[in-house]
Amino acid sequence: MKIATSNDAKIKEFNRFGLNVVAEKGLDLKEVQSSSSLTVAAYKAIEAGEGVMVEDTVLEINGTEIVDIRYQMQHLKDCINNTARWIVTLAVVDGNAVKLSKGIINGTIRESDDHGKPDVFGFDAVFHPDGGEGLSLHQLEQANRKDDFSARKLAVIDFLQEPVELDLELFPKWEGEYQK
């Protein structure tokens, strides 16, 4: 299966989790502005085309999904000690349906001296998953334990076992705004 990403580390993760994928590079997919990660992922999959999987990553803080998290990273310092959920949604168009799966990891946003360092990806330095012994995703990665707390892994398992299938007719041409 093809996946729309140029991130080699993600490709390795997907393959390690049992989803054999190859990169479909060069796709610059627009992301619809929606409060629903499922809606964002479905429209990305439709734009990517049949048979090309997409991923949408969301950080939910105090019950509010931040669907454009990559543009909101600077605001995480205002969310210290807030409850959070790392949500990964996978989507792919298959015939007349969009297959969707989701993985969720609960945790807390904590201060970190690692935030912003070049070897730290996204919110990994400040997201501390429940059950992670007080370690951030970045620290768990360094200890080779991040897979045990991976929303991406849970989304892959969900996709392989029982994805939700929604009829393409539920997704008319998008007329709304797009993320930055």
Side-chain angles (χ1 to χ4, degrees), residues 17 22 28 41 43 48 54 59 65 70 72-73 75 90 94 98 101 106-107 117 141 153 156 165 172 178:
F17 300 152
V22 294
D28 187 18
Y43 276 101
V54 298
L59 190 63
E65 283 191 10
R70 66 179 159 189
Q72 303 296 326
M73 294 297 295
H75 298 296
L90 301 177
D94 184 12
V98 179
S101 65
N106 295 315
K117 289 184 177 177
E141 174 76 27
K153 181 178 181 179
V156 167
E165 290 192 36
Y178 291 89

Side-chain angles (χ1 to χ4, degrees), residues 5 16 18 23 44 48 52 55-56 61 66 68 71 81 85 95 98 103-104 115 119-120 127 135 152 154 162 169 172:
T5 186
R16 190 169 65 244
K44 280 173 68 174
V52 179
E55 176 194 70
D56 191 65
I61 300 176
I66 304 172
D68 56 351
Y71 304 112
N81 296 324
R85 296 188 331 151
V98 179
I104 300 171
H115 191 61
D119 67 330
V120 178
F127 184 83
L135 300 175
R152 186 170 293 116
L154 294 178
E162 201 169 333
E169 292 179 7

Side-chain angles (χ1 to χ4, degrees), residues 85-141:
R85 296 188 331 151
W86 171 26
I87 304 169
V88 171
T89 305
L90 301 177
V92 65
V93 173
D94 184 12
N96 291 322
V98 179
K99 290 183 176 180
L100 296 148
S101 65
K102 189 180 271 196
I104 300 171
I105 296 290
N106 295 315
T108 305
I109 302 297
R110 302 259 188 243
E111 287 188 68
S112 173
D113 293 333
D114 293 331
H115 191 61
K117 289 184 177 177
D119 67 330
V120 178
F121 183 75
F123 51 81
D124 283 8
V126 296
F127 184 83
H128 292 249
D130 291 352
E133 300 172 8
L135 300 175
S136 69
L137 288 176
H138 175 66
Q139 292 165 325
L140 289 164
E141 174 76 27

